[in-house]
Amino acid sequence: MGIRADYVTRPREWIASILAREPRFLSAAQIHQGLERDGARVSLSTVYRTLDRLQAKGDITARPDADGEVTYMLCEPTRHHHHAICRSCGRVEDVDCAAMEQFAESLRARNGFELDGHAIEFFGKCGACR
Amino acid sequence: MGIRADYVTRPREWIASILAREPRFLSAAQIHQGLERDGARVSLSTVYRTLDRLQAKGDITARPDADGEVTYMLCEPTRHHHHAICRSCGRVEDVDCAAMEQFAESLRARNGFELDGHAIEFFGKCGACR
DNA sequence: CCTCATTTGCGAACTATTCGCAAAAATCCC
DNA sequence: GGGATTTTTGCGAATAGTTCGCAAATGAGG
C-alpha cells in the first residue's frame, strides 16, 4: 500500500542512452526518431513524460530553440558552467568559468540589480567543423 | 506599376505603441490583449504578421520564454548590449558592457572555438521590486 | 507466479502559430 | 477629392508541438 516510485523501464533506459551519446540539444521529436532508428518503439507521449521526469530530477537541461521548440540535453547540475554551441553541427561544449561569476557579481554592485542567476550561451564553430 | 511597400496602418501603429510603452518581453497574445484593453480591435494574425515585420526590420528582439512561447520587445539594434530581467515584474534593463566582449574574445583564443556570437541574460530583481 | 502500483500507447484535446483568400484600407496619380 | 492599384487585414481552417485520459502492459515485491 506504500508508494513505490521510480520504476526502471526499457523506454526510460533507451531514452537516457540516446541523450547520453549526443553532446547536443535534441528535441522530443529528434529523440523519438533516434529511438526508431535503433529499433526501439516508444510513443512520443512517453518521450515527453520521460523528459519531464529527467528535468524534474535535474538530470537534463531544457532550452527552447530559436523557433520556440524545446530541446533537451544531459547536463551535470552540480558543476556550474556555460555552453559553447556549434552553429554547424550543434555540438555543445562546456565552458566552466570563474571569471564570468566575478563579472556577474560586479554587475550587482554597480547596477543595484539583485542578481540571482544568469544564462550565457556562446555560438560559433567547434574545432571539428572548422 | 512599381513596388509600393511599407504602408502605415493603424494596426501597425497600435502594436508599435504597445511595444513602446512596455519595457519587457511580451507574447503575441499579451500584445493582442493589450490592444483589446485599449479598445483597438486587431486580429491575432495581424499581430503575428506585424511582429514578423518588425523583427525583419531589426526593430524588435524575439526570445522564446522558458515554455517555448515566443516573446518580443523593442530593442535598439545599433548598440550592442545584454539584458537584466526582473524575475518579479519582467522589466528588462539594458546592460551595455565592453568587458563582456573582451571576455568572449579571450574565450576564442583559449578554446579554439570560432566565436561568432553570444547571448547573455541576467535574472534577478530590479530596483523597484526590491 | 501473483498482486498491485506505475508506466505505456493510443487517440483526442489543446495551444501557439501559419496560411489562403476575399474584403477593407492605404497610396499614388490625376 | 475620386479612382485605380497594391498592400494589408480578418476570418476560419490548417499545422505543429505538447498535454491528457484511460485501458492495457509492465516492473517490483512478496
Side-chain angles (χ1 to χ4, degrees), chain A residues 26-33 44 47-48 51 69-72:
Chain A
L26 299 174
S27 66
Q30 287 175 317
I31 292 168
H32 189 243
Q33 287 159 20
L44 200 48
V47 173
Y48 277 109
L51 290 170
E69 190 174 7
V70 183
T71 57
Y72 305 85

Side-chain angles (χ1 to χ4, degrees), chain A residues 13-35:
Chain A
E13 288 175 335
W14 291 334
I15 291 167
S17 91
I18 293 268
L19 286 168
R21 73 182 184 229
E22 288 288 346
R24 63 200 96 239
F25 282 93
L26 299 174
S27 66
Q30 287 175 317
I31 292 168
H32 189 243
Q33 287 159 20
L35 292 167

Side-chain angles (χ1 to χ4, degrees), chain A residues 4 7-10 28 44-45 48-49 52 68-70:
Chain A
R4 278 176 290 186
Y7 281 33
V8 176
T9 69
R10 283 177 196 167
L44 200 48
S45 305
Y48 277 109
R49 281 184 292 226
D52 287 348
E69 190 174 7
V70 183

Side-chain angles (χ1 to χ4, degrees), chain B residues 4 7-9 45 48-49 70:
Chain B
R4 280 175 291 186
Y7 281 35
V8 176
T9 69
S45 305
Y48 277 110
R49 282 184 293 226
V70 183

Side-chain angles (χ1 to χ4, degrees), chain A residues 65-129:
Chain A
D65 71 10
D67 304 321
E69 190 174 7
V70 183
T71 57
Y72 305 85
M73 191 180 66
L74 270 191
C75 201
E76 280 183 60
T78 45
R79 193 177 36 125
H80 188 79
H81 62 273
H82 306 292
H83 292 143
I85 302 175
C86 179
R87 288 211 202 263
S88 169
C89 70
R91 170 182 288 273
V92 175
E93 293 171 25
D94 285 356
V95 178
D96 192 350
C97 182
M100 190 59 78
E101 299 300 324
Q102 288 178 5
F103 178 81
E105 283 308 312
S106 81
L107 228 176
R108 162 193 236 134
R110 251 195 290 151
N111 284 24
F113 191 89
E114 179 97 36
L115 204 58
D116 73 0
H118 57 266
I120 302 178
E121 291 177 336
F122 297 100
F123 298 95
K125 297 225 174 175
C126 67
C129 287

